[in-house]
Amino acid sequence: MSANSPLSTKKPRLVVVGNGMVGHHFVEQIIEKGGHENFHITVFGEEPHLAYDRVHLSEYFTGKGAADLAMTDGTLYDDNGVQYFTNSLVTEIDRDNKQLLLQSGDSVSYDKLVLATGSYPFVPPIPGHKRDNTFVYRTLEDLDDIRDCAKQVSKGTVVGGGLLGLEAANALKNLGLETSVVEFAPRLMPVQLDEKGGSVLKEMIEGLDVTVYTDTATQEIVDGESSFHRMNFADGTHLETDLILFSAGIRPQDALAKQSGLEMGERGGITINNNCQTSDENVYAIGECALWNNSIYGLVAPGYTMAKAAAGHLLGDESISFTGADMSTKLKLLGCDVGSIGDAHAKSQGCKVFVYQDEIQQSYRKMVVSEDGQKLLGAVLVGDNSFYDTLLQYYLNAMDLPEQPQSLILPAMDGAPAALGADALPATASICSCHNVTKQDISDAVANGAMSVGDVKGITKAATGCGGCAALLKNVVDNELLSLGVEVSTDICEHFAFTRQDLYNIIKIEEIKSFAELLEKHGKGHGCEICKPAVGSILASVWNEYVLKKEHIVLQDTNDRFLGNMQKDGTYSIVPRIPGGEITPEKLIVLGEVAKEYKLYTKITGGQRIDLFGATLPQLPEIWTKLVNAGFETGQAYGKSLRTVKSCVGSTWCRFGVDDSMTMAVDLENRYKGLRSPHKIKFAVSGCTRECAEAQSKDIGVIATEGGWNLYVCGNGGMKPRHGDLFATDLDRETLIKYIDRVLMFYTKTADRLQRTSVWMDGLEGGLEYLQEVVIEDKLGMCSELDAAMDYVVDTFQCEWKTTLEDPEALKTFRQFVNYDGEDENVVFVEERDQIRPATEEEKQNLIAKVG
Amino acid sequence: MTMQWKLVCKQSDLVKGAGVAAMVNGQQVALFYVPEAESQIFAISNWDPFGKANVLSRGLVAHLQGEWTVASPLYKQHFVLSSGKCLEDDVTIPSWQAKLEGENVYIAES
Ligand code: SRM
Ligand SMILES: Cc1cc2nc3c(=O)[nH]c(=O)nc-3n(C[C@H](O)[C@H](O)[C@H](O)COP(=O)(O)OP(=O)(O)OC[C@H]3O[C@@H](n4cnc5c(N)ncnc54)[C@H](O)[C@@H]3O)c2cc1C
Ligand code: SF4
Ligand code: FES
């Protein structure tokens, strides 16, 4: 191989062993600092792939391919003269001769050596652990094997209930297996959680149909009776399962160090100093194989810092060193929020503890504070990570706790919100731990002209690792912009110094149920025609209460207050829902009869339904009584909500149809009909690519394909037409609905007042790709929240007209006059093409003249 | 000249924070019940001079720069409830004094 052949270069040779996340980051760092000019760099990796994103490995099961996870396709290496070899295991280091030996038999000399060999999964030596259908969870190949096996079997078990074990359990569940977790310790995630936290988590996970065995030791694995394996436990019980996945911890991959006599820790790991040098000054170790101050760091962020430190040191820059790292973690396991900060187990001398537990919402929070109550030493969160960012900043920056520290873990009550404002953070506060970006770095970027979160991301790389810091980053950037006097006024109106999105979050998090309550806590004055309907709409999106409930009535614009669209003369139009445009002759006749009885102007709308115009205020309840009795529901033509789902006839009738667009349209319309949103939403479903329903011009467009359904999002007709973006292809029905749920809820949560999805998408940082990440890959970890929010809206649907007709108080407001039974004499109709229409001013004058 | 008060309706006919229409001496009046405001009850004409329709009682009550107003449901011009003055244009619509006494709602006949 060519690595072996002497090269015509006088540059010293730098060899990197291991091309995982940290080894790759090291190469990036060296190149960024120009080190490829100083060294001839060679990289050896044992795996068949170049470095890939192991942190997001599980996404390999949820739609990402190896190419998506890849951290480089080799271009960076090629362009900068870095030689790399995959499938190349280094088996020996000969430190005396500065030579490496490869499994292939080749040898390579080095001047400087970097070991980035990571770790390997520990498999407890239980008799039977090498049987077929047993796996570990570390590499793409492991996942390929697991997937192949899962296709054949029905039950899977994970040995180990730690962080990785639960992630693996989630994967097994997603592969359709009946899943169990067996943990030796008395609780789940013993490292990060205390006893109570572990037991709350256990309950939540069991609620998701994963069986959890804690305090359970596996003695042997033998042939099963009903399944492939039988696991015999120490207490005499057993479990039958087809597939076993070991996730009982990781061990540093330090075989080369041992072989070559480098100094090591008692329990493994290659000892390093602050420059990441091992006991041999020419050999560095970084990442999970390295042992610093007797600690191994099993997270990627500390590894990146080590990579930076080692690269700096090699190039004579000692300003960066590795001096330990914080191991706080926040994650979502099987959809459950878990967070652990610092001294989670309250082991510090004299420390005091605050605990909050809510057995109804299933959440548990603990704060460990110093003896004097001044500093936060640690925390445990299960069930709700919205408290994490603030706690972490108090902890990392050793900030003085507020007077009532417990407010940091209590559900928001009256008074100031406990969350820490960005301006309260010190300049040294670490905002993004993956890329080691401090608040100061962000201030600098903004001072140098970065004007948005996107700009700052580009410059500092903040929020481009695990993404966990995205919300905090936005706060800090906004705060910096503000302090520079850049007007980011996104205030909704003079009464609320918030954006619609802020208000949405406040209403949701503080469980605010009325406009008055919101105004009292967060607004000023008495509200106006901007904030009232906006808040009315948010309250409806979040709590889905009856819009004409007493306290909401004054928030509704005329159309929403009277559940009809006001026309130019003060009369209303009536639009019953006709899902998908499909209507029986009987119902068509009812519409005709009602229109005839009340002499209403009748028209087919552009949205495939029927509009009846010219009803006066007192006629609305009468007419709707007839319609509701005939089985109609409100079409919400007045609301900022789902309008119509247009459809073509589809495969049922059409000779080209590939799927049943009609059923899909009706189902979608019925699912989303209750959703109140920032602006109106329109759907269409076409049965094939001929696209007769014009789905690509709708907020949500669905087109049947041979392989399922294609989903288009954020199209618009109207004033500024926009074609929808192709969001995902060949979806099955369930996934389609899941994605639509999330797109709509994310839109409802984050869009501005009266912003259609098209405009929202155009303003969305990261655009379509970002939306895909949020919805498909759960980048923000909020999918379960979105799912739950939509389920709630769907489950609590009520036809507003039906509710109104049952409410005498609400009906009272449909009187034309409170003290007089007559009609509005200014409402005058004339006939045209055999139907009524409002008279013009001139016609009115003439008519009055005639009568008078 | 002493003010003549005319009984229009009961407090229970009003909607808190919003308007209703009444017919007073052949004229359409929009009555607003705003408990937070000092005078609590306001009466202005129901006629929207821009939209040319009797709809102001169906507009949203808005508190802008210290003044209680109603936004027309048709084209959103604001009218000050105490004076009938339009905020967007040089127009003033009729307005009347109004009061709540016990259960009864009165407006002043000028
Ligand atoms: C009735 C109808 C026209 C018709 O006779 O066919 C109609 C009538 C109105 N449209 Fe429309 N639009 C109607 C289909 C459409 C369509 C076609 C469609 O849905 O396929 C569009 C373009 C598609 C789209 O929205 O992307 C459409 C784009 C608009 C817009 C521009 C929206 C935009 O994003 O640019 C407005 C103005 C707005 O919403 O701010 C609007 C606003 C209105 C309003 C609410 C204007 C108003 O404030 O009075 C009209 C209410 C009439 C009423 O009393 O019912 N209407 N409107 C159609 C009712 C459909 C239904 O069954 O619900
Ligand atoms: C499923 C999963 C989820 C995770 N989630 C998170 C998370 O949310 N947050 C987080 O911070 N961390 C997470 N981690 C841990 C994170 O992936 C590791 O901290 C990170 O990958 C460590 O990088 P590394 O380069 O040190 O080791 P690795 O990525 O393991 O890379 C080491 C590489 O060296 C190769 N190698 C070893 N020995 C040799 C040799 N002798 N010759 C040649 N090549 C060799 C190995 O094959 C491997 O490719 C997760 C890990 C897994 C498996
Ligand atoms: S196109 Fe204009 S006039 Fe016609 S219905 Fe739509 S909004 Fe009204
Ligand atoms: S903390 Fe992971 S991307 Fe910032």
Side-chain angles (χ1 to χ4, degrees):
Chain A
M1 73 189 291
S2 60
N4 197 12
S5 53
L7 281 141
S8 59
T9 167
K10 300 244 155 50
K11 287 189 218 168
R13 298 194 58 137
L14 169 61
V15 176
V16 184
V17 182
N19 188 238
M21 297 185 76
V22 174
H24 171 70
H25 194 74
F26 172 80
V27 175
E28 277 186 329
Q29 290 296 317
I30 274 275
I31 291 175
E32 199 181 304
K33 295 181 203 293
H36 54 300
E37 309 286 344
N38 308 26
F39 288 102
H40 180 84
I41 306 171
T42 310
V43 177
F44 294 102
E46 175 191 0
E47 294 187 59
H49 304 271
L50 275 177
Y52 52 89
D53 186 353
R54 207 179 301 283
V55 168
H56 293 105
L57 187 64
S58 293
E59 292 173 16
Y60 192 56
F61 281 153
T62 55
K64 284 223 170 165
D68 299 314
L69 292 174
M71 307 188 75
T72 174
D73 59 3
T75 318
L76 178 82
Y77 292 31
D78 291 334
D79 287 355
N80 295 289
V82 175
Q83 279 189 296
Y84 59 90
F85 301 91
T86 50
N87 279 317
S88 299
L89 181 74
V90 175
T91 47
E92 258 182 66
I93 310 175
D94 173 357
R95 293 199 287 126
D96 295 336
N97 297 308
K98 290 197 169 178
Q99 286 249 319
L100 295 181
L101 191 66
L102 291 154
Q103 193 173 38
S104 59
D106 294 324
S107 63
V108 180
S109 58
Y110 67 84
D111 295 297
K112 299 283 178 187
L113 181 64
V114 175
L115 300 177
T117 49
S119 46
Y120 63 90
F122 168 68
V123 177
I126 303 164
H129 71 273
K130 285 193 175 144
R131 288 166 55 89
D132 282 353
N133 294 2
T134 62
F135 305 93
V136 293
Y137 199 77
R138 177 95 195 162
T139 66
L140 288 169
E141 287 67 39
D142 293 337
L143 269 64
D144 282 333
D145 295 344
I146 293 168
R147 174 158 33 200
D148 289 346
C149 175
K151 280 187 192 141
Q152 330 277 340
V153 305
S154 64
K155 287 184 183 174
T157 299
V158 177
V159 177
L163 206 141
L164 276 179
L166 294 177
E167 185 168 330
N170 191 32
L172 293 189
K173 202 170 162 256
N174 286 338
L175 289 171
L177 298 188
E178 195 184 317
T179 305
S180 309
V181 173
V182 177
E183 167 61 53
F184 179 72
R187 63 174 177 276
L188 291 175
M189 293 184 63
V191 181
Q192 292 86 1
L193 296 185
D194 61 0
E195 198 182 318
K196 195 68 219 182
S199 79
V200 173
L201 180 64
K202 179 175 175 204
E203 242 170 69
M204 290 172 77
I205 288 180
E206 284 172 339
L208 297 164
D209 283 340
V210 172
T211 315
V212 180
Y213 301 82
T214 46
D215 228 340
T216 302
T218 310
Q219 255 178 349
E220 56 171 4
I221 306 167
V222 296
D223 282 339
E225 276 163 27
S226 57
S227 304
F228 187 82
H229 306 286
R230 173 179 170 142
M231 300 169 70
N232 285 325
F233 299 142
D235 63 3
T237 60
H238 67 266
L239 171 67
E240 295 258 329
T241 184
D242 299 308
L243 178 161
I244 297 178
L245 200 162
F246 290 104
S247 180
I250 53 169
R251 297 288 182 269
Q253 182 50 275
D254 50 14
L256 285 175
K258 193 180 283 169
Q259 165 271 321
S260 65
L262 290 171
E263 192 182 313
M264 296 182 25
E266 265 173 41
R267 284 181 298 157
I270 312 169
T271 311
I272 57 168
N273 62 18
N274 293 4
N275 301 320
C276 300
Q277 284 167 302
T278 64
S279 52
D280 176 339
E281 61 170 7
N282 292 315
V283 181
Y284 295 76
I286 56 179
E288 285 187 342
C289 61
L291 181 79
W292 181 87
N293 196 18
N294 260 320
S295 297
I296 292 276
Y297 294 88
L299 292 175
V300 73
Y304 281 4
T305 312
M306 292 181 195
K308 218 174 256 174
H313 191 257
L314 273 164
L315 298 174
D317 170 7
E318 299 205 13
S319 67
I320 327 157
S321 56
F322 183 80
T323 51
D326 176 53
M327 292 293 281
S328 301
T329 23
K330 120 175 126 169
L331 33 129
K332 208 175 205 66
L333 293 166
L334 292 135
C336 313
D337 277 348
V338 179
S340 170
I341 293 175
D343 181 13
H345 297 288
K347 293 215 172 102
S348 315
Q349 177 127 42
C351 65
K352 300 273 184 293
V353 165
F354 289 93
V355 173
Y356 172 81
Q357 183 173 8
D358 175 345
E359 290 195 337
I360 292 175
Q361 303 276 342
Q362 287 194 317
S363 63
Y364 170 77
R365 303 192 270 281
K366 177 171 91 174
M367 257 173 31
V368 181
V369 302
S370 58
E371 193 163 12
D372 59 5
Q374 294 285 338
K375 306 282 180 197
L376 184 70
L377 303 178
V380 176
L381 300 172
V382 179
D384 182 355
N385 266 349
S386 62
F387 299 82
Y388 181 89
D389 286 352
T390 295
L391 290 171
L392 183 66
Q393 292 301 332
Y394 274 104
Y395 168 70
L396 287 180
N397 302 301
M399 296 167 66
D400 278 341
L401 285 167
E403 220 161 277
Q404 302 277 323
Q406 66 272 33
S407 64
L408 298 177
I409 54 168
L410 289 179
M413 304 272 177
D414 294 340
L420 196 54
D423 51 342
L425 295 174
T428 51
S430 164
I431 305 302
C432 172
S433 53
C434 287
H435 290 285
N436 204 3
V437 181
T438 61
K439 184 177 167 194
Q440 186 64 51
D441 297 332
I442 295 168
S443 314
D444 292 349
V446 171
N448 290 326
M451 292 297 286
S452 67
V453 172
D455 293 352
V456 172
K457 267 186 177 175
I459 296 168
T460 62
K461 282 192 157 188
T464 60
C466 69
C469 60
L472 185 61
L473 174 69
K474 177 166 187 331
N475 274 339
V476 174
V477 172
D478 283 352
N479 187 57
E480 290 298 324
L481 285 172
L482 267 182
S483 69
L484 284 183
V486 178
E487 189 58 72
V488 262
S489 181
T490 42
D491 297 0
I492 182 160
C493 68
E494 68 178 70
H495 305 105
F496 291 98
F498 296 99
T499 61
R500 181 187 172 281
Q501 181 175 1
D502 294 335
L503 291 178
Y504 183 101
N505 290 330
I506 290 172
I507 286 174
K508 182 146 194 182
I509 291 162
E510 300 184 17
E511 299 189 13
I512 290 178
K513 295 277 170 68
S514 72
F515 182 77
E517 189 184 348
L518 184 71
L519 192 67
E520 191 196 356
K521 288 190 188 157
H522 299 284
K524 55 173 189 276
H526 301 280
C528 64
E529 84 280 7
I530 309 278
C531 57
K532 283 178 177 176
V535 170
S537 160
I538 297 171
L539 287 168
S541 303
V542 176
W543 309 120
N544 211 23
E545 288 181 339
Y546 172 44
V547 288
L548 297 190
K549 214 174 139 179
K550 241 203 194 93
E551 58 263 43
H552 302 326
I553 228 177
V554 300
L555 305 180
Q556 313 304 344
D557 228 324
T558 310
N559 288 358
D560 280 301
R561 179 169 161 203
F562 299 107
L563 308 172
N565 296 47
M566 181 183 273
Q567 302 301 313
K568 59 198 292 182
D569 58 355
T571 62
Y572 291 86
S573 71
I574 291 178
V575 193
R577 190 164 292 292
I578 300 181
E582 186 181 72
I583 185 163
T584 60
E586 287 74 20
K587 281 194 163 170
L588 211 45
I589 289 169
V590 171
L591 290 182
E593 279 174 346
V594 168
K596 212 162 134 186
E597 181 179 348
Y598 289 87
K599 280 196 138 192
L600 302 171
Y601 169 75
T602 308
K603 178 181 181 298
I604 310 285
T605 72
Q608 292 188 337
R609 48 189 185 173
I610 295 169
D611 203 343
L612 310 176
F613 294 79
T616 61
L617 201 51
Q619 284 176 341
L620 286 175
E622 291 178 34
I623 294 172
W624 273 106
T625 305
K626 299 193 184 210
L627 295 177
V628 167
N629 288 341
F632 284 104
E633 282 178 345
T634 175
Q636 273 166 323
Y638 44 82
K640 301 299 171 228
S641 50
L642 177 71
R643 293 294 169 82
T644 59
V645 180
K646 186 169 170 176
S647 177
C648 70
V649 286
S651 58
T652 338
W653 289 91
C654 176
R655 64 200 161 117
F656 294 119
V658 295
D659 213 331
D660 185 359
S661 52
M662 213 44 248
T663 301
M664 179 58 84
V666 171
D667 290 354
L668 290 177
E669 185 152 349
N670 282 325
R671 180 168 180 81
Y672 301 108
K673 63 191 173 190
L675 177 66
R676 293 276 168 161
S677 42
H679 206 316
K680 59 192 174 191
I681 309 171
K682 299 175 178 185
F683 284 35
V685 185
S686 285
C688 80
T689 55
R690 287 169 191 76
E691 248 283 67
C692 298
E694 302 169 316
Q696 290 167 88
S697 69
K698 300 296 182 205
D699 300 88
I700 298 287
V702 176
I703 302 176
T705 65
E706 296 290 345
W709 302 94
N710 282 357
L711 171 61
Y712 289 82
V713 300
C714 303
N716 204 165
M719 293 174 254
K720 193 163 169 280
R722 180 185 193 277
H723 277 293
D725 294 313
L726 180 57
F727 183 82
T729 55
D730 295 334
L731 300 173
D732 58 31
R733 186 191 154 88
E734 196 186 333
T735 313
L736 174 73
I737 290 178
K738 185 165 77 182
Y739 289 173
I740 299 176
D741 277 4
R742 292 175 183 173
V743 170
L744 289 184
M745 253 324 169
F746 191 55
Y747 161 66
T748 299
K749 195 176 153 76
T750 60
D752 281 337
R753 184 183 86 90
L754 296 187
Q755 189 177 45
R756 286 288 290 267
T757 57
S758 54
V759 184
W760 171 69
M761 169 63 99
D762 288 340
L764 201 62
E765 245 169 61
L768 176 67
E769 212 173 295
Y770 173 72
L771 187 61
Q772 287 166 329
E773 286 167 0
V774 170
V775 165
I776 302 175
E777 292 148 30
D778 200 6
K779 180 193 175 101
L780 302 183
M782 67 191 299
C783 284
S784 61
E785 178 199 325
L786 298 175
D787 294 346
M790 185 61 84
D791 284 342
Y792 181 76
V793 168
V794 172
D795 291 345
T796 53
F797 170 79
Q798 52 184 319
C799 167
E800 289 152 0
W801 262 111
K802 186 160 186 285
T803 313
T804 301
L805 294 174
E806 288 160 1
D807 179 353
E809 272 299 302
L811 284 178
K812 231 176 63 181
T813 66
F814 287 85
R815 288 185 291 177
Q816 191 81 47
F817 301 105
V818 288
N819 60 344
Y820 168 67
D821 266 344
E823 289 168 6
D824 179 356
E825 284 174 357
N826 185 54
V827 173
V828 183
F829 300 118
V830 293
E831 272 198 18
E832 188 171 283
R833 290 187 298 278
D834 301 330
Q835 297 204 66
I836 59 153
R837 70 161 167 78
T840 63
E841 282 308 297
E842 205 183 329
E843 285 164 341
K844 274 188 211 170
Q845 299 301 332
N846 292 339
L847 282 174
I848 294 164
K850 259 189 221 156
V851 177
Chain B
M1 197 178 104
T2 53
M3 189 122 37
Q4 291 288 311
W5 290 101
K6 185 174 167 89
L7 174 66
V8 181
C9 62
K10 297 281 175 202
Q11 184 188 357
S12 57
D13 290 318
L14 304 176
V15 180
K16 258 192 203 163
V20 296
M23 189 65 98
V24 184
N25 299 337
Q27 215 172 353
Q28 290 201 23
V29 175
L31 286 173
F32 293 88
Y33 179 24
V34 187
E36 300 98 320
E38 205 180 329
S39 65
Q40 296 208 10
I41 311 274
F42 297 99
I44 60 170
S45 167
N46 197 27
W47 178 254
D48 174 352
F50 301 96
K52 302 210 184 314
N54 286 306
V55 294
L56 291 185
S57 58
R58 290 175 261 163
L60 264 176
V61 173
H63 190 253
L64 293 178
Q65 288 136 41
E67 299 249 45
W68 288 100
T69 67
V70 62
S72 162
L74 284 174
Y75 305 111
K76 308 292 171 204
Q77 291 88 355
H78 295 90
F79 299 91
V80 177
L81 292 179
S82 57
S83 65
K85 203 179 155 358
C86 174
L87 292 183
E88 284 81 11
D89 214 323
D90 199 10
V91 176
T92 300
I93 59 171
S95 64
W96 297 270
Q97 285 195 42
K99 67 174 181 186
L100 181 66
E101 241 177 49
E103 279 294 289
N104 295 331
V105 179
Y106 299 89
I107 82 169
E109 295 184 272
S110 45

